[in-house]
Amino acid sequence: MGDVPDDNERRRLGLDTQITRRDFVNGALVGGGGALLGAPFAGTLRAGTLVTDTFTGYGGVGDYAKANGNTWPVVQAAHRLRDGGYDAAAFATAKPAGDFDLVVVGGGIAGLSAAYYFTKVAGTGRRVLLLDNHSMLGGEARQNEFMVAGERLLGPQGSNDFGIPVSGSGSLADAFFTEFAIPREYSWQSWDTRLKPLRFARDNYSNMDGFQESQVDVGYFFGEGPDGKPLWRRNIWGNGLRDTPFPETARRDLLRWRADNGAVSDAQDRYLDTLTYKDYLERVRGYDPAVTRLIEPIVGLLSGVSADAASARVGRQLVEPPDRTMALSFPGGNSPFPRALLRGLLPAALPGKDFDSLMYGPVDFAALDRDTQATRIRLDAMALRVEHASPDSRGRRLWVTYEKGGALFKVGARAVVMASGGWVNKHILGDMPDDLRAAYDQFTYAPALIVNVALRQWRFLYDLDVTACRWFDDADSFGYCCNLRQTMSSGGQAPPLHPDRPAVLSFYLGLPIPGLPAAQQGAAARALFLATPYAEFELRVRRQMTRLFAAYGFKPERDIAAIVLNRWGHARLIEPPGFHYGRDGKASPLERVREGYGHVAIGHSELNGGQHWGSALEYGKKAGERAASKL
Ligand SMILES: Cc1cc2nc3c(=O)[nH]c(=O)nc-3n(C[C@H](O)[C@H](O)[C@H](O)COP(=O)(O)OP(=O)(O)OC[C@H]3O[C@@H](n4cnc5c(N)ncnc54)[C@H](O)[C@@H]3O)c2cc1C
């Protein structure tokens, strides 16, 4: 992925910037045993934390600093499990660590939801143990935190947008908002009227084509013009693509595609699930292939694979009416949802009752796992094996073995909820029935990469008259879009929205590989994402930003305070045609997995197919209630 920068480029990109006292914005270096790893990382050190390995890189500050995406220790342990690295001899060393009514594997929204709703049904005195293999809860709904020039900045690691549930609708999301006093009206960073008017997205998707791009000031970069200068066009959809270099037929069909939005009936949905999105666009609708090319990276990010492998049902959902109410996000994305569940389970771990302390308060890690508590949450603990015990085990119906701090432990449980994804569960559920294994074998996954760049200032975007950018694939490009949100302000935490003040610029990307079958795309993309060191991604981000913005005054060594990568190896459950509703008269594998087996309930967001925070809450709750029924 890319060539080695020479000394000049290193200087220009800010890769060799010296660490100075002024730059230690978090007060101290907190390397966690990490060593200075040499020149490629120098650029990242300025923000205050030493990188701990060449994969994970800098993780920001605060409670989430060592849990940015899938970190190297977690990836290593998971691959050891997958490759059979824990044998019978290793399991025999597991130390007994007590008995529980419920053990939950996974501390994302689904796992926390399972534990929370389990205790509601089974009673708060029940002994519950929740294991998560990262150093912080929240799973894909975790956040990054930065301190830049005295401002605390938050950004989503992945899950970022939500819609406000309709009050009184009786939906689970509605009840959840009410129960945890999550407000339904918000204040946003104010925009100084003396500055020129600019429109911002309030989440990290609305800026993308097919969503609410017409409500955001988006710059489109069409490469370098004949004079070598960057060729920008602004808000291309607003004037019917007239300013773009797209050929006439491409323009016509892109506009048709953009207008082909809105809800479809169940019957249409089922029909769409019989073909690929590319087939739908080019064969059924007869659009110019330019349409497929334009939306390919968005389909790739949100479905995991290219349009020739994703179901048309999934692709079609990505086109929304341009005037739809814009989606929202909290400063740290959807992190308040798992934090609310944590507070519900263990109020002392996230003290306070109001929403501001829910969003911004520090977690009291000591309150997660005390001997005296009925509910215990164990972090940095990786479940390795779950299996039913013999029938004469006096109420202890399952054994759960996990690793923590290099040692193996074994607990008894009366029920288990697997709130981890199928790619993990397949290797953990030692006595899984054959039909469940066969169903899981049809689950395939694709990765996503979310890069949050903490900027000291963003006048270069202001001078370009935009708050988000889109560019098109060529040999030198990295990603396809970036976005600077107008952030929710609350509880005195309101970093100013001003081009000369710090902000977070987010890059969301998948890696679709057209021409490959869906499962192979996911595997190949994951291999590439996992084999690429942090330094390589850092270089690509800095080069991309320089190419886009240098002509508008951007200076990487001056303007970038920190770059955090959030790698999600299995971000998306891939849904090729026929997966969602089943093929050849056979039920979807989703249905089999939802059933679980014995005293094991399964409750990850993927059981919905398309994953979102609400499906994590829903399937976690169902699994928790099912587990309670097994007591
Ligand atoms: C990049 C990205 C963007 C997204 N954007 C949005 C969005 O904008 N809006 C939205 O609503 N949804 C979004 N989602 C989806 C949605 O938020 C997620 O589906 C949801 O947060 C997942 O919750 P979960 O609990 O089901 O799973 P996860 O968050 O995956 O949680 C599972 C947890 O289990 C842990 N675990 C795994 N194996 C083990 C083990 N062996 N032992 C112990 N712990 C283990 C994992 O580390 C993780 O912490 C996004 C997802 C991604 C990846």
Side-chain angles (χ1 to χ4, degrees):
M1 245 186 149
D3 49 328
V4 178
D6 62 19
D7 287 352
N8 269 342
E9 191 185 17
R10 298 191 62 80
R11 250 192 315 280
R12 210 164 30 85
L13 294 180
L15 287 163
D16 288 334
T17 310
Q18 290 298 310
I19 310 168
T20 66
R21 190 69 223 162
R22 176 178 51 85
D23 290 314
F24 283 77
V25 288
N26 196 30
L29 284 172
V30 285
L36 276 169
L37 290 169
F41 289 89
T44 66
L45 296 175
R46 287 169 298 136
T49 302
L50 291 182
V51 290
T52 52
D53 59 61
T54 57
F55 175 89
T56 313
Y58 174 65
V61 301
D63 287 347
Y64 294 82
K66 287 190 190 157
N68 49 310
N70 301 142
T71 55
W72 183 241
V74 170
V75 170
Q76 263 182 319
H79 287 176
R80 191 172 161 204
L81 174 66
R82 179 198 64 189
D83 300 337
Y86 298 92
D87 56 15
F91 282 118
T93 66
K95 298 184 197 110
D99 283 300
F100 293 85
D101 292 305
L102 174 69
V103 172
V104 178
V105 176
I109 296 174
L112 289 158
S113 168
Y116 181 70
Y117 291 104
F118 171 86
T119 53
K120 275 199 154 194
V121 177
T124 44
R126 297 289 186 175
R127 285 174 54 75
V128 176
L129 175 67
L130 183 146
L131 304 170
D132 193 273
N133 54 1
H134 285 85
S135 62
M136 181 61 189
L137 293 163
E140 293 168 354
R142 295 196 299 260
Q143 66 193 33
N144 293 142
E145 298 183 18
F146 303 93
M147 280 299 291
V148 182
E151 300 294 349
R152 183 180 178 194
L153 306 174
L154 270 52
Q157 290 194 12
S159 185
N160 81 95
D161 82 348
F162 72 97
I164 302 171
V166 178
S167 197
S169 64
S171 69
L172 178 59
D174 177 30
F176 179 80
F177 267 58
T178 303
E179 183 167 359
F180 290 101
I182 298 173
R184 299 178 203 230
E185 285 176 16
Y186 310 99
S187 305
W188 303 89
Q189 289 174 310
S190 57
W191 183 241
D192 190 333
T193 49
R194 287 166 302 182
L195 295 164
K196 64 185 158 197
L198 272 186
R199 298 172 310 154
F200 296 80
R202 289 179 169 176
D203 72 322
N204 277 328
Y205 293 137
S206 296
N207 54 295
M208 297 182 196
D209 305 287
F211 295 99
Q212 276 66 57
E213 78 291 310
S214 61
Q215 299 175 48
V216 181
D217 285 322
V218 183
Y220 288 77
F221 172 69
F222 287 99
E224 286 75 16
D227 55 359
K229 292 198 176 135
L231 196 62
W232 283 95
R233 296 287 180 266
R234 188 169 167 269
N235 297 341
I236 59 172
W237 297 96
N239 67 355
L241 305 175
R242 273 192 294 281
D243 292 345
T244 65
F246 296 130
E248 185 51 42
T249 45
R251 268 188 244 176
R252 183 201 62 203
D253 288 350
L254 281 165
L255 292 171
R256 285 185 184 162
W257 165 78
R258 190 63 191 85
D260 181 12
N261 56 48
V264 295
S265 68
D266 185 56
Q268 287 167 314
D269 223 21
R270 285 174 182 273
Y271 159 70
L272 289 168
D273 200 43
T274 63
L275 61 163
T276 69
Y277 191 39
K278 180 180 166 78
D279 263 352
Y280 172 73
L281 294 172
E282 295 179 14
R283 198 170 48 76
V284 178
R285 309 297 297 192
Y287 296 152
D288 189 285
V291 174
T292 318
R293 282 198 298 276
L294 181 106
I295 42 87
E296 193 82 275
I298 298 162
V299 178
L301 168 69
L302 292 160
S303 81
V305 289
S306 55
D308 61 358
S311 159
R313 172 186 157 272
V314 178
R316 175 68 178 62
Q317 287 169 357
L318 304 179
V319 195
E320 296 187 333
D323 56 354
R324 196 202 75 164
T325 309
M326 198 189 281
L328 308 175
S329 68
F330 300 110
N334 284 335
S335 59
F337 298 138
R339 293 168 71 88
L341 290 160
L342 169 63
R343 181 176 270 179
L345 279 165
L346 292 174
L350 195 48
K353 293 206 179 307
D354 62 312
F355 189 61
D356 294 330
S357 59
L358 180 82
M359 277 208 289
Y360 299 116
V363 169
D364 181 354
F365 288 92
L368 295 179
D369 195 6
R370 291 196 176 108
D371 285 345
T372 48
Q373 290 169 191
T375 297
R376 301 177 69 170
I377 294 180
R378 203 155 290 165
L379 297 176
D380 293 315
M382 164 109 178
L384 301 175
R385 175 67 62 94
V386 171
E387 57 196 343
H388 288 78
S390 60
D392 61 354
S393 57
R394 280 175 297 154
R396 180 202 290 139
R397 299 192 179 102
L398 296 127
W399 287 113
V400 178
T401 310
Y402 65 91
E403 180 175 41
K404 183 168 169 72
L408 265 55
F409 300 90
K410 189 172 181 177
V411 294
R414 299 176 71 194
V416 167
V417 168
M418 299 301 296
S420 39
W423 70 96
V424 184
N425 297 353
K426 262 171 49 163
H427 302 290
I428 294 181
L429 295 171
D431 54 2
M432 172 166 43
D434 289 345
D435 64 333
L436 177 56
R437 184 171 296 283
Y440 261 150
D441 282 344
Q442 295 176 60
F443 281 38
T444 55
Y445 300 90
L449 175 67
I450 311 310
V451 185
N452 282 321
V453 181
L455 295 170
R456 295 198 176 86
Q457 57 118 345
W458 50 276
R459 189 156 278 275
F460 55 91
L461 281 179
Y462 181 79
D463 286 347
L464 205 42
D465 283 350
V466 300
T467 59
C469 300
R470 170 78 207 268
W471 54 94
F472 302 93
D473 203 21
D474 63 27
D476 297 325
S477 65
F478 169 80
Y480 71 98
C481 70
C482 61
N483 179 51
L484 191 145
R485 289 176 305 159
Q486 181 177 28
T487 309
M488 192 182 285
S489 56
S490 133
Q493 303 243 1
L497 186 62
H498 190 284
D500 298 326
R501 300 295 299 152
V504 175
L505 187 72
S506 299
F507 292 65
Y508 270 58
L509 57 138
L511 191 64
I513 309 174
L516 277 187
Q520 287 179 32
Q521 283 193 41
R526 185 162 44 253
L528 188 67
F529 272 164
L530 294 185
T532 306
Y534 172 91
E536 178 69 30
F537 279 125
E538 179 188 16
L539 176 65
R540 298 286 306 257
V541 171
R542 287 175 185 265
R543 277 185 176 157
Q544 182 66 36
M545 289 182 68
T546 303
R547 184 178 178 202
L548 295 172
F549 306 129
Y552 290 83
F554 169 69
K555 290 196 187 324
E557 78 283 12
R558 182 195 63 195
D559 297 338
I560 295 179
I563 298 176
V564 172
L565 302 183
N566 304 287
R567 309 181 199 229
W568 301 106
H570 302 81
R572 314 285 180 200
L573 175 67
I574 302 173
E575 295 198 88
F579 180 84
H580 198 79
Y581 294 109
R583 278 187 206 102
D584 308 325
K586 293 201 188 106
S588 162
L590 287 166
E591 286 186 27
R592 174 61 191 95
V593 175
R594 285 178 196 141
E595 288 168 15
Y597 70 103
H599 285 241
V600 174
I602 301 179
H604 189 260
S605 55
E606 69 185 9
L607 299 188
N608 188 56
Q611 291 137 271
H612 56 90
W613 79 271
S615 68
L617 187 74
E618 178 190 344
Y619 283 95
K621 177 174 187 280
K622 283 181 179 159
E625 290 169 349
R626 185 181 281 233
S629 76
K630 301 284 180 188
L631 295 181

